[in-house]
Amino acid sequence: MSLQLLILFLVIVLVALLGSRARRGRVRMWPLQRLLQTGTPFVFVGFLMGPQGFGLVPGGLLDQLRPIVILGFGWIGFLYGSHFEWRRIRRFGARMYGGGITESVVTMGVVGLAVYWVLPLLYPGMQEALREHVAVGLAACAGGTAPAGVFALTRQRGVSARDSELLRFFSAVDDLPPVLLLGVFFALWDVDGGGVASAPERLAMSVVLGTLLGLGSHLLLPSGRDSASHAFLLILGMGSLCAGAAEMLLLSPLFVAVLGGMVFANLSPRKEDIYGLMERREHTLYAVFLIVAGALFRWEAVRVVLLLAPGYVILRGAAKVAGAWLGTRGVLREGSVHGMLGTGLVFQGGMGLAIAVHLELNAGAAAGLFMTTVVLAVVLNDLIGLPIAVQALGRRRR
Amino acid sequence: MRLSRVGSRLLGVVVLLATAFTVRVLTAGTPVDGAADATMVLGFVLVISYLAGRVAIRVNLPSITGYLAVGVLFGPWVLAPVFSGITILSHEAAVSLQLLDGAALGLIALTAGGELKLSMVRERRRSIAWVVGGHVLVVAPGVAGVMMGLFYLMGGLPDVPTASMVAAAGMLGVTAVAKSPATTIAVIQEYKAKGPMTDLVLAVTVAKDVVVVTLFTVALAFALMAVEAGGGGAGVPALALRTAWEVLGSLALGLALGWILAQYARWVRAEMPLLVLALAFVSGGLNEAYHLSGLLVCMVAGFYVENFSEHGHTLIQAVEKHAQPLYIIFFTIAGAALDFGALAVAWPVAVGLALSRMAFTFLGTWFGARATGEPQAVRGLAWTGFIGQAGVTLGFAAVLADRLPAVGPTLRTVIVAAVALNQIAGPILFRWGLTRAGEAQTTA
């Protein structure tokens, strides 16, 4: 096992080397260079090292990494939730939020219903509860957009300023409906029957736990002289405690952490520096997260999801276009926005991947379905998302 | 109403304690996901131990005393009996956090190696050899003699022949030489200590790690012969071979790992925190699979990187910068693992063992330092750096319990109880020693 660990270490060194070279522009392999700048290489490394790859990360070690993954849910959720400060919400206005949420809800609705409908055709004899579980789970994974992809797109020439602004805003808010759906889903569906309370009680517990996380973080980080590393430690600790507690009570740690982030953002005078601190340190945790996601990828499930994954990517892309169209035309009432704005929202990762990892760890009979589908979708979107979006949004076709 | 900083933090701690206890109560008696439990405990430890560490600093104690205290308080011995057996730092959670625990030890060792400068080792090699020699020649026989005297005063160990009793006393003497490198290094780092005493303590700590493993293996072989309980066990040549493999193999692998790290520091210099994590996991896994000393591997790697690479210093700094959460976890779990049950049973012998160990460590250090003309402060105070005991000694205790069925379990109880005392006293004494020697640069 130690030799395997040593190889694991060397592979990480290699990826870091390639990544750093790509960033310095020494490796001119387009689109490989672009791919290296996304999270895909980490997913790939995770897959190579995982039980389905070379087995360098055996199942036992993966189990030992689970606390880090659960901690990651707390971190990602808290960071995301701290976007939602009331003053900031008021500055952008309800319509903007309505537009972004509409886009996400439409995407989830279309993807969820389609998956629910198509599952019996692909897997005859699938149980109803499992069918609902997979449909809701994949819908939740589909709703959000990876901001990193949008950032890369908006730096391209030809994308209008208003389109860029809307893309950035939508990608910042469209993870909220999936997280809420996940919170309600985990409260209502007792995933493995071991819940400690009834559904309404679990929902209430999620809200209470999230509030305590936000309140506790605010109290532990009063304004003053804490160094960055000390503040980091405290926030890491609070996030970890609440994510672990949520997971122990069979609640959604992502939902709890997002609520915690919201409460913190609206209470703490230090939200800005804590947010900046968390954002700076997110990369390492996210890289570990992606590696674990890759390790959870199941090769045998590829055959199963071979039809599902490309269909999922195409359907999600179409749903994003429809959702963004409805959000901008129907809710925002902006006729000048590009009709294909949704093509700029196909990038997947971040919260979507976190949701997939969470669902996979609690998948039971659906093991392999979530991660394999979403990982394939993430890689496909990383590969083709940007050229398609540039092609679509670069021309002012309305 | 505006809360003061302290009031706000106190309320935050109350919120956190209430959350953790409520979750424990709600999930009591139901099957719980071990990883989720470990994550909750991890968060609890990070916050509460960190704050306890700050409080410890305020009262002029090392922060690791605060971490250890949290481990003791929320472990199975203090609050658990009060709250009907509800333990926050449960044994199961500690096992689930083993990966992080092992990683912390690897990073501590890497930093220790990185603190050693080749020029200093060359310059003071005589002092290092004499102090290590002093510990082996004074502490081991001295403590063994005191233990033998104690056994004699107690009327001997029940159903144990004299030869076995001598062997038992001898093994207690040998385990008394072992110390906790992690404790020493953590205190040095916390106080940013620099000076001749710090250098000597560090160098002896690293050298002793090699010597102690060898000494223990050889002594165990003799003890096995003395009590004739070696049936099924390895003979002396096999033990010698295994020890040689553990020491030389660890040195070789440490050099290889050091070379890789040096190349990384030279060519890549990206994803440093990720590298630190990966490195920690690698070192944690090495110990088990090839019977190598993960501690020694990392110490050698750190030494190589610091002394044979232009950019190595950056890497060691990155490790120091990102390793604090792991240190907190390591020492809190160590605190929770201190066996106060064993202390309650074997306290007279354990106190005798701890006190005699302290006295002979002072003598051995004084003797070695004086022989090489070290300054007065080093002679009189360096011993404080060798009192803390933890992982390595507990490992020895487990081996003894396994290999010497007649006396091993008794020895383990005594050693584990003495470790509890030494680990509490060690950081406090060393902090005092560094301050008295004028080598502690900071109080926080």
Side-chain angles (χ1 to χ4, degrees), chain A residues 1-3 5-6 9-10 12-13 16-17 20-21 23-24 42 61 63-68 70-71 196 205 209 212 215-216 218-226 229-230 232-234 236-238 240-241 244-245 247-249 281 283-284 287-288 291, chain B residues 2-3 5 8-9 11-13 15-16 19-20 23-24 26-27 30 32-33 35-40 42-44 46-47 50-51 54 96 98-100 253 257 260-261 264 267-268 270-271 273-275 277-279 281-282 285-286 289-290 324-325 328:
Chain A
M1 171 163 140
S2 61
L3 195 64
L5 280 166
L6 202 61
F9 170 68
L10 291 175
I12 289 177
V13 170
L17 178 66
S20 67
R21 288 300 173 91
R23 255 176 242 150
R24 290 175 205 160
F42 291 110
L61 186 65
D63 281 344
Q64 285 192 299
L65 281 170
R66 274 195 65 198
I68 298 178
I70 298 171
L71 188 158
V196 294
M205 280 198 297
L209 203 55
L212 285 175
L215 183 67
H218 162 58
L219 290 169
L220 287 170
L221 290 161
S223 51
R225 299 156 297 171
D226 281 317
S229 60
H230 293 171
F232 165 73
L233 251 169
L234 291 173
L236 187 73
M238 276 310 289
S240 174
L241 182 121
E247 192 78 24
M248 277 176 83
L249 297 168
R281 306 244 176 159
H283 181 72
T284 305
V288 173
I291 290 171
Chain B
R2 278 186 75 84
L3 282 168
R5 273 177 68 79
S8 177
R9 286 222 157 132
L11 258 180
V13 169
V15 166
L16 189 133
T19 308
V23 172
R24 272 276 183 270
L26 281 173
T27 53
T30 57
V32 167
D33 176 359
D37 187 13
T39 315
M40 189 183 83
L42 177 70
F44 181 86
L46 283 176
V47 176
Y50 165 73
L51 294 175
R54 305 290 300 170
S96 298
Q98 247 173 5
L99 191 70
L100 295 178
L253 193 63
L257 203 59
I260 293 168
L261 285 174
Y264 188 93
W267 298 106
V268 186
E271 311 287 0
L274 195 60
L275 174 88
L277 263 179
L279 175 74
F281 290 141
V282 169
L286 289 172
Y290 291 113
Q324 198 194 3
I328 291 176

Side-chain angles (χ1 to χ4, degrees), chain B residues 4-382:
Chain B
S4 68
R5 273 177 68 79
V6 176
S8 177
R9 286 222 157 132
L10 271 177
L11 258 180
V13 169
V14 170
V15 166
L16 189 133
L17 287 174
T19 308
F21 270 104
T22 308
V23 172
R24 272 276 183 270
V25 171
L26 281 173
T27 53
T30 57
V32 167
D33 176 359
D37 187 13
T39 315
M40 189 183 83
V41 167
L42 177 70
F44 181 86
V45 164
L46 283 176
V47 176
I48 299 291
S49 292
Y50 165 73
L51 294 175
R54 305 290 300 170
V55 171
I57 290 167
R58 283 280 178 96
V59 294
N60 288 328
L61 290 173
S63 57
I64 68 166
T65 303
Y67 308 156
L68 288 166
V70 169
V72 171
L73 198 64
F74 294 99
W77 300 106
V78 182
L79 286 180
V82 180
F83 290 97
S84 323
I86 291 174
T87 318
I88 300 262
L89 299 177
S90 63
H91 175 69
E92 293 76 19
V95 169
S96 298
L97 289 173
Q98 247 173 5
L99 191 70
L100 295 178
D101 198 40
L105 197 59
L107 293 186
I108 289 167
L110 189 85
T111 319
E115 297 281 348
L116 278 181
K117 305 285 179 289
L118 189 61
S119 54
M120 185 276 291
V121 175
R122 274 192 191 133
E123 197 182 304
R124 302 184 70 189
R125 59 185 182 277
R126 280 190 67 235
S127 300
I128 297 165
W130 273 92
V131 173
V132 172
H135 284 186
V136 173
L137 297 173
V138 176
V139 178
V143 170
V146 170
M147 286 297 106
M148 201 56 217
L150 255 178
F151 291 156
Y152 178 75
L153 284 174
M154 291 161 60
L157 295 172
D159 304 325
V160 176
T162 310
S164 296
M165 219 155 65
V166 172
M171 288 315 296
L172 284 175
V174 169
T175 50
V177 180
K179 64 180 295 299
S180 160
T183 305
T184 305
I185 292 151
V187 175
I188 288 175
Q189 275 187 10
E190 180 175 341
Y191 292 98
K192 297 186 171 58
K194 282 196 188 339
M197 180 176 127
T198 307
D199 287 345
L200 185 70
V201 169
L202 251 178
V204 170
T205 296
V206 175
K208 251 174 79 169
D209 195 56
V210 178
V211 173
V212 160
V213 170
T214 314
L215 185 69
F216 179 80
T217 312
V218 173
L220 182 62
F222 281 107
L224 282 170
M225 284 192 286
V227 299
E228 295 178 338
V236 177
L239 277 172
L241 205 65
R242 209 175 69 185
T243 308
W245 161 246
E246 183 170 343
V247 172
L248 297 177
S250 302
L251 288 173
L253 193 63
L255 285 175
L257 203 59
W259 183 83
I260 293 168
L261 285 174
Q263 299 313 307
Y264 188 93
R266 182 177 177 189
W267 298 106
V268 186
R269 268 174 282 166
E271 311 287 0
M272 282 290 196
L274 195 60
L275 174 88
V276 169
L277 263 179
L279 175 74
F281 290 141
V282 169
S283 63
L286 289 172
N287 206 359
E288 287 174 33
Y290 291 113
H291 301 290
L292 293 175
S293 164
L295 203 67
L296 194 55
V297 168
C298 287
M299 279 182 181
V300 173
F303 181 72
Y304 181 93
V305 166
E306 178 63 34
N307 290 285
F308 299 100
S309 158
E310 271 179 50
H311 309 277
H313 192 63
T314 328
L315 201 130
I316 298 293
Q317 272 182 335
V319 172
E320 284 177 9
K321 188 178 163 193
H322 298 291
Q324 198 194 3
L326 290 176
Y327 287 9
I328 291 176
I329 295 161
F330 177 82
F331 286 108
T332 309
I333 289 178
L338 292 181
D339 193 342
F340 286 86
L343 189 61
V345 173
W347 72 267
V349 186
V351 169
L353 176 61
L355 286 178
S356 60
R357 178 175 176 268
M358 231 177 254
F360 287 109
T361 302
F362 168 75
L363 274 179
T365 311
W366 184 86
F367 164 75
R370 190 177 185 281
T372 49
E374 287 290 339
Q376 189 61 41
V378 177
R379 285 185 217 171
L381 295 167

Side-chain angles (χ1 to χ4, degrees), chain A residues 144-267:
Chain A
T145 306
V150 172
F151 181 68
L153 171 66
T154 53
R155 282 188 304 172
Q156 306 285 325
R157 292 172 67 178
V159 183
S160 78
R162 181 58 181 160
D163 287 353
S164 294
E165 188 190 1
L166 284 173
L167 284 172
R168 280 197 293 264
F169 185 83
F170 280 17
S171 71
V173 298
D174 65 4
D175 278 319
L176 191 60
V179 172
L180 293 176
L181 176 69
L182 205 66
V184 175
F185 174 67
F186 265 79
L188 298 182
W189 276 268
D190 191 351
V191 180
D192 53 9
V196 294
S198 64
E201 283 170 344
R202 282 208 300 275
L203 196 57
M205 280 198 297
S206 299
V207 175
V208 170
L209 203 55
T211 310
L212 285 175
L213 167 62
L215 183 67
S217 303
H218 162 58
L219 290 169
L220 287 170
L221 290 161
S223 51
R225 299 156 297 171
D226 281 317
S227 71
S229 60
H230 293 171
F232 165 73
L233 251 169
L234 291 173
I235 214 84
L236 187 73
M238 276 310 289
S240 174
L241 182 121
C242 283
E247 192 78 24
M248 277 176 83
L249 297 168
L250 303 180
L251 310 171
S252 162
L254 279 167
F255 177 65
V256 166
V258 168
L259 283 179
M262 286 178 178
V263 172
F264 179 74
N266 287 287
L267 284 179

